[in-house]
Amino acid sequence: MEDFLNKAKASASILGTLSGAVKNNILMQMATALEQNKEEIIEKNTIDIDAGIKNNLSSALMDRLLLNDDRIKGMADAIRQISALKDPVGRIHEGWTTDTNLNIQKVSVPIGVIGIIYESRPNVTSDTAALCFKSGNVCILKGGKEAENSNQIIAKILQEVLIQNDLPKQMISLLPDSSREGVANLIKQDKYVDLIIPRGGEALIKYVTSNASVPVVKHDKGLCHTYIHSDADFEKAIAVSINAKCRRAGICGAMETLLVDEAVAKDILPLLKTEFDKHNTQLRGCEETTKIIECKKATNEDWETEYLDNILSIKIVSNTNEAIEHIKQYGSGHSDAIITENYTQAELFLNSVDSACVYLNASTQFTDGGEFGFGAEVGISTNKLHARGPMGLNELTTYKFKILGNGQGRA
């Protein structure tokens, strides 16, 4: 492990010297290489899919795992979008001259070596590798065992592009020891690793944050809510709710709990049930909800659960303040939405809900680096310090001060 990390850290010095034009050219080559090798990627992904079926992975997790022509094209396009973005390295945040005639500039620089631990989705391998490369960071990737074959071939293709450009393959690496012990070792290597980004289940996040000596920006669970206010447009409310739950139920931005204002519950819940039934969504409701529509009764555990599956809990609330209090108690600080035509209530919700992303009349599934114009993201940070929400290029930099003098000494 130490030899591997030494090489990774050494390659960070080389990566930091590359111009934006060189990095962009290499990224474009990586995008093309993924498309040119799509048959091999799909072949390796099929091995993971077959293992997932054998291991009875949920339909939502299987959806996250699957790669096909369209998704590989999407991976390549994401890299191209990242290439087209402004280089985050070397930006002057601000500059000023002091009374002693020192010229001070606050300039963005790469963080260094970043370890990223993630589960299920093999496209994360190419997304995070491209973001780290563009922002001048070496990445050490540790994907989930369920996507092992897919991750290995994607990383191999990207590394081959680096080698073809006379660059160390260690700029983009998979953690050589992918066992629990390997992860435990990585997160304590603060001599070599500058940041750990865990994105996955609650147990993973808790383990990393409790045991790491390397600084951590966590991508915590997405226990996302949508609140349908009494002044909601029903057509919008139903369309947004269906998308927030059913578009892809297994992603962190998927709605897990629907809050409905009691003033409209009797009118809108039957309409919602009809639409959710079309998507075979399993509904679990509070006691008042079960009196209006036929569904399984929810327990307190449901309000705390990130299903990552086609299951939705529903709770009737008396007003916006009760919806806010419910989210404060059970939410994960990821993404929450209000559906209303009432500007005052919208502002109350958006200002009071302390989540990374808060929405008015839109699906929580928009919480995504690509949708935000970042090309992709290394995760959705639920931290409050350094980075929050989708972490794109700018969030993968820190800064230093450049001070230009002319022989000054401090009095």
Side-chain angles (χ1 to χ4, degrees):
M1 175 73 84
E2 190 164 349
D3 180 60
F4 165 77
L5 292 174
N6 251 320
K7 290 178 179 177
K9 193 168 184 68
S11 69
S13 298
I14 300 170
L15 179 52
T17 66
L18 298 182
S19 68
V22 168
K23 290 186 290 185
N24 290 340
N25 179 264
I26 292 170
L27 286 169
M28 294 298 284
Q29 293 177 44
M30 289 178 177
T32 300
L34 288 177
E35 291 179 329
Q36 289 176 341
N37 291 278
K38 66 180 181 180
E39 289 82 7
E40 190 174 3
I41 295 173
I42 291 173
E43 178 185 337
K44 297 296 185 182
N45 181 248
T46 300
I47 298 173
D48 293 329
I49 291 293
D50 290 344
I53 294 170
K54 191 174 182 180
N55 293 323
N56 297 314
L57 291 185
S58 70
S59 58
L61 287 177
M62 291 294 288
D63 176 64
R64 296 173 78 173
L65 181 59
L66 176 67
L67 293 178
N68 53 30
D69 285 0
D70 286 344
R71 291 190 178 180
I72 293 170
K73 182 180 185 303
M75 290 160 57
D77 286 344
I79 294 178
R80 293 188 181 103
Q81 290 169 24
I82 292 166
S83 173
L85 295 172
K86 187 175 180 180
D87 195 323
V89 179
R91 289 184 303 124
I92 299 175
H93 293 285
E94 54 184 323
W96 63 95
T97 301
T98 68
D99 292 341
T100 52
N101 210 31
L102 291 175
N103 178 260
I104 300 177
Q105 296 177 343
K106 183 179 179 182
V107 183
S108 63
V109 295
I111 291 171
V113 178
I114 301 178
I116 304 169
I117 306 168
Y118 54 100
E119 298 173 350
S120 300
R121 294 166 58 188
N123 67 292
V124 172
T125 302
S126 60
D127 285 354
T128 54
L131 286 165
C132 287
F133 185 79
K134 171 90 174 191
S135 56
N137 295 290
V138 166
C139 62
I140 298 170
L141 307 174
K142 196 284 175 190
K145 62 182 180 180
E146 65 278 3
E148 182 177 6
N149 294 282
S150 306
N151 291 333
Q152 286 178 352
I153 186 60
I154 292 167
K156 179 174 177 285
I157 291 166
L158 301 181
Q159 286 180 330
E160 286 173 351
V161 174
L162 292 174
I163 293 167
Q164 289 163 11
N165 286 272
D166 298 320
L167 293 172
K169 68 177 183 179
Q170 287 83 7
M171 289 179 176
I172 298 171
S173 297
L174 293 180
L175 184 66
D177 181 0
S178 61
S179 67
R180 184 179 178 89
E181 291 73 23
V183 171
N185 191 357
L186 176 69
I187 64 178
K188 292 186 179 297
Q189 296 289 342
D190 47 275
K191 179 180 176 181
Y192 304 101
V193 183
D194 299 290
L195 179 67
I196 294 288
I197 301 174
R199 48 181 293 175
E202 192 171 1
L204 169 67
I205 304 298
K206 185 175 181 180
Y207 174 79
V208 172
T209 52
S210 299
N211 293 280
S213 58
V214 179
V216 175
V217 173
K218 61 184 179 179
H219 167 121
D220 215 337
K221 66 181 181 180
L223 214 166
C224 305
H225 300 76
T226 300
Y227 167 50
I228 299 177
H229 178 251
S230 57
D231 292 330
D233 178 295
F234 277 22
E235 187 175 346
K236 285 182 191 176
I238 293 168
V240 169
S241 298
I242 294 297
N243 182 272
K245 178 76 253 183
C246 304
R247 174 188 164 271
R248 290 187 70 180
I251 67 172
C252 60
M255 170 178 64
E256 304 291 19
T257 298
L258 177 65
L259 304 172
V260 181
D261 196 293
E262 63 182 4
V264 294
K266 289 182 180 178
D267 296 319
I268 199 168
L269 280 175
L271 301 176
L272 285 163
K273 177 172 169 54
T274 297
E275 294 304 312
F276 279 120
D277 284 349
K278 293 176 183 176
H279 294 270
N280 298 312
T281 304
Q282 182 188 134
L283 303 179
R284 302 177 181 180
C286 66
E287 186 173 350
E288 293 305 309
T289 298
T290 61
K291 294 175 182 178
I292 299 171
I293 59 172
E294 184 180 347
C295 65
K296 183 178 178 180
K297 187 174 180 181
T299 66
N300 281 335
E301 186 179 357
D302 285 299
W303 313 131
E304 300 172 345
T305 301
E306 182 188 25
Y307 299 114
L308 296 175
D309 205 347
N310 195 18
I311 304 169
L312 177 68
S313 57
I314 302 174
K315 181 176 177 62
I316 295 174
V317 294
S318 57
N319 52 38
T320 307
N321 285 322
E322 187 179 343
I324 292 167
E325 287 305 312
H326 181 95
I327 294 169
K328 282 182 179 178
Q329 182 173 354
Y330 297 106
S332 61
H334 191 292
S335 301
D336 299 290
I338 181 172
I339 314 299
T340 187
E341 302 302 308
N342 185 315
Y343 177 81
T344 302
Q345 293 300 300
E347 281 297 293
L348 173 63
F349 183 94
L350 297 176
N351 292 332
S352 301
V353 173
D354 188 18
S355 295
C357 300
V358 286
Y359 291 86
L360 168 63
N361 295 334
S363 168
T364 54
Q365 295 218 9
F366 278 109
T367 301
D368 174 88
E371 293 294 331
F372 277 33
F374 300 163
E377 89 273 329
V378 296
I380 312 295
S381 169
T382 50
N383 277 28
K384 291 188 180 182
L385 297 179
H386 174 66
R388 199 177 193 194
M391 288 185 65
L393 292 173
N394 291 328
E395 289 71 35
L396 291 174
T397 61
T398 181
Y399 58 84
K400 65 182 178 184
F401 293 99
K402 291 184 179 180
I403 302 97
L404 311 180
N406 189 31
Q408 293 95 322
R410 183 171 175 179

